[in-house]
Structure formats: C-alpha cells, structure tokens
Amino acid sequence: MARLFIAVWPPENVLAELARLNLDEIAGIRPVRPETWHITMRFLGNAESDDVRQALAGARLAPAHARLGPGLAVIAGRVLAVSVAGLDALAATVTDLTAGIGKPARQPFRGHLTLARVKAPTLDIGNVVFSGHFDVKEIALVASRTEADGAHYQTIDTWPVG
C-alpha cells in the first residue's frame, strides 16, 4: 500500500506564472516546492494503486477547464493557496468512481492549489493577485512520501480527460 491521491498537474505555462509570485518575499509562510504544485481531486490515503486503476479503467471523464484565482487565500489558517474553479464535476466523478477505496472524503471538494504552509497566526498577503486558466488534459494517480525536506510525489498512472 502507498499513500495516494488523484490530482491534476497544471501545465508548464501556468506553473511558470505561479513561480513569478515571489512567495519568498511573503513573511510568515514556508513555500512548498513548485514541482509539487497540483490540484487534488481526491485524497485516498493508504490504498492499493491497482484498486484505483481498476476503478478508473475505461472511465469517460468529461472535459474540464480550470480557472485559477483571482487571488490568494489562507485555508483553515494553515495553507496559502490559489483557488481553482471549474473542476467540481470532475472531482465528483473521480470521487464516485473511486468510492470505497482508501479514506472517505472528510469534506466536500474545494478546488485549490497549495503554494505554501502558513507559519504565522496572522498573515498579510497584501495585494497578491493571480489568475490563470487551462483545459485539463488528464488526471493522475500520485504516490506521496514525506521526507525531511517535504513531500515528494510520483505519478503512477494517468487517465485522459475530455
């Protein structure tokens, strides 16, 4: 078993725009490494990758268009993120298809891309604004492992969207 989640990896052009936010200049946060930036469709926890592959085999995933922004927000006092709209239906389909695998969802899907962990009890992100969009081409089954320098992700399999 591995710690798994299903995600959308943003395309390189969106990642490059996000990298221009200069997160190192915001006091009170610990930026996550850009190579880990993703949008989680469903967190599975410890699960078997073969069970997920079987659940998603032959799945018809409707087209989806992700819209990021227009700004940043602090979620649950712990995460600095950019909101992502347009993926609710895709996340619902993924959740339905993988029902019974891994952990049940603790809360409804909330589209976001985590940029940093919040260290300070209050955080002033000022007028940091970001907006972007892209057509989702695929979803990915990702394995996660935590090391001293943070989370490391490996894509195990992908399924086309649209």
Side-chain angles (χ1 to χ4, degrees):
M1 267 198 224
R3 185 179 161 118
L4 303 174
F5 61 92
I6 298 169
V8 169
W9 295 107
E12 290 298 322
N13 65 316
V14 172
L15 295 174
E17 288 297 317
L18 284 166
R20 290 190 182 108
L21 289 175
N22 295 321
L23 296 173
D24 292 327
E25 296 176 4
I26 301 174
I29 65 169
R30 180 175 50 85
V32 297
R33 293 186 326 278
E35 63 269 19
T36 67
W37 289 344
H38 68 279
I39 304 148
T40 301
M41 297 285 95
R42 177 161 186 250
F43 178 74
L44 298 161
N46 290 326
E48 295 290 344
S49 57
D50 286 343
D51 292 343
V52 179
R53 285 185 177 108
Q54 184 177 3
L56 294 174
R60 290 183 168 261
L61 303 171
H65 186 78
R67 296 178 312 281
L68 289 77
L72 306 185
V74 176
I75 300 173
R78 300 183 324 256
V79 171
L80 178 64
V82 59
S83 63
V84 180
L87 301 183
D88 292 10
L90 179 59
T93 299
V94 166
T95 299
D96 289 346
L97 291 171
T98 59
I101 301 172
K103 295 175 85 164
R106 292 182 300 190
Q107 50 194 313
F109 174 75
R110 180 176 181 181
H112 70 280
L113 186 150
T114 298
L115 298 169
R117 303 289 179 216
V118 175
K119 299 186 297 185
T122 59
L123 179 65
D124 179 14
I125 54 176
N127 294 327
V128 179
V129 175
F130 178 84
S131 65
H133 60 92
F134 64 94
D135 289 324
V136 176
K137 302 293 184 197
E138 64 185 16
I139 59 169
L141 175 61
V142 181
S144 170
R145 69 182 193 286
T146 304
E147 297 185 6
D149 63 342
H152 291 263
Y153 302 144
Q154 177 186 6
T155 296
I156 297 173
D157 211 338
T158 60
W159 293 267
V161 171

